[in-house]
Amino acid sequence: MGREFLTVFSEWATDYDTFVEGKDPAYQAVFQNYKEILNQVVRRSGDSVLEFGIGTGNLTSFLLASGKRVFPIEPSLEMRQLAKEKLPADFIIYDGDLEQYPRPTFPIDTIVSTYVFHHLTDSEKQRALKDYYHQLTADGKIIFADTMFESTQAYQSAIENAEISGFYDLASDLKREYYPLISTMRDAFQKAGFTVSFEQMNDFVWLVEAQK
């Protein structure tokens, strides 16, 4: 369910914005074009949005600024506390994860997340997508930006390149979490009832747009 990574989320919380701003050399490639990634998610989203893993609230801020109605989910207490500093005082952030979360009380036409979905195993991803299909309105869609790879060889090369560069924390992240292949993601979305497209945003991150 991704909650096995709660300790990692807590450790990342205070430094996360430093990473996304490109101030840590190890993660510059991972977060290259970060603001454009967020902008693309916002542009492709409808009016009512369920956001998983809001982290420190960066995408949430963009969505709210664009007039979206957002139902935010974040399992990490530390991340929720940091996000509250950026968001309106009366904005409620719900404790939940990618599979177990409070259900929105209003219709949802878009489900979004950034740098989150890889915390589920392949079988958990498939199960979650089937659930999301039923959470969405008839013409709803999913917009995910996440790390994934075109082949097993590309995944292994990313780990090796990180180690050669001395980016051992990045290499450890890549080994520990469940980064999928694009072919696996395409199959999961199609089995759940979506048509899906992929657009590469940097060397690690792809933008996924899936329509019911």
Side-chain angles (χ1 to χ4, degrees):
M1 294 182 296
R3 283 188 180 259
E4 64 267 36
F5 299 108
L6 270 178
T7 300
V8 177
F9 301 157
S10 297
E11 292 172 352
W12 270 59
T14 55
D15 294 323
Y16 188 75
D17 284 344
T18 298
F19 295 151
V20 304
E21 291 166 4
K23 295 178 180 178
D24 187 318
Y27 292 91
Q28 283 179 348
V30 178
F31 292 105
Q32 185 178 11
N33 304 322
Y34 180 70
K35 287 187 177 179
E36 178 57 22
I37 291 170
L38 300 190
N39 280 324
Q40 284 293 333
V41 174
V42 173
R43 290 189 197 116
R44 298 171 191 231
S45 296
D47 295 326
S48 58
V49 179
L50 168 58
E51 182 187 357
F52 284 110
I54 76 164
T56 60
N58 295 323
L59 175 59
T60 317
S61 297
F62 279 44
L63 290 164
L64 292 175
S66 296
K68 314 288 186 182
R69 186 179 186 184
V70 182
F71 191 88
I73 304 292
E74 173 53 54
S76 166
L77 174 61
E78 292 80 5
M79 289 285 196
R80 292 199 301 271
Q81 290 172 335
L82 290 169
K84 286 179 180 178
E85 297 175 7
K86 300 177 184 176
L87 301 171
D90 59 348
F91 189 72
I92 299 173
I93 304 171
Y94 298 93
D95 180 10
D97 57 57
L98 288 157
E99 289 197 282
Q100 296 184 0
Y101 58 95
R103 303 292 156 154
T105 57
F106 55 90
I108 295 293
D109 58 38
T110 315
I111 295 176
V112 304
S113 73
T114 53
Y115 298 87
V116 172
F117 203 53
H118 63 268
H119 293 105
L120 295 182
T121 65
D122 287 348
S123 61
E124 288 171 340
K125 290 183 181 76
Q126 181 70 76
R127 186 168 64 220
L129 290 175
K130 290 179 180 178
D131 170 53
Y132 302 164
Y133 183 92
H134 296 291
Q135 287 297 309
L136 289 164
T137 56
D139 59 347
K141 60 182 174 179
I142 294 173
I143 310 294
F144 285 167
D146 203 4
T147 298
M148 61 191 73
F149 297 93
E150 294 183 278
S151 65
T152 302
Q153 182 179 359
Y155 169 60
Q156 293 298 331
S157 294
I159 296 173
E160 292 169 6
N161 291 338
E163 291 174 337
I164 290 170
S165 299
F167 299 154
Y168 300 113
D169 286 345
L170 174 59
S172 177
D173 290 341
L174 290 169
K175 292 176 183 178
R176 178 182 56 230
E177 299 167 20
Y178 309 120
Y179 296 99
L181 301 181
I182 290 176
S183 58
T184 302
M185 288 286 283
R186 180 180 290 108
D187 184 61
F189 274 102
Q190 290 176 343
K191 284 182 177 178
F194 295 90
T195 57
V196 62
S197 63
F198 299 82
E199 180 179 343
Q200 190 166 15
M201 302 301 293
N202 62 38
D203 288 344
F204 288 84
V205 174
W206 292 73
L207 189 68
V208 182
E209 183 168 1
Q211 181 77 50
K212 282 183 73 168

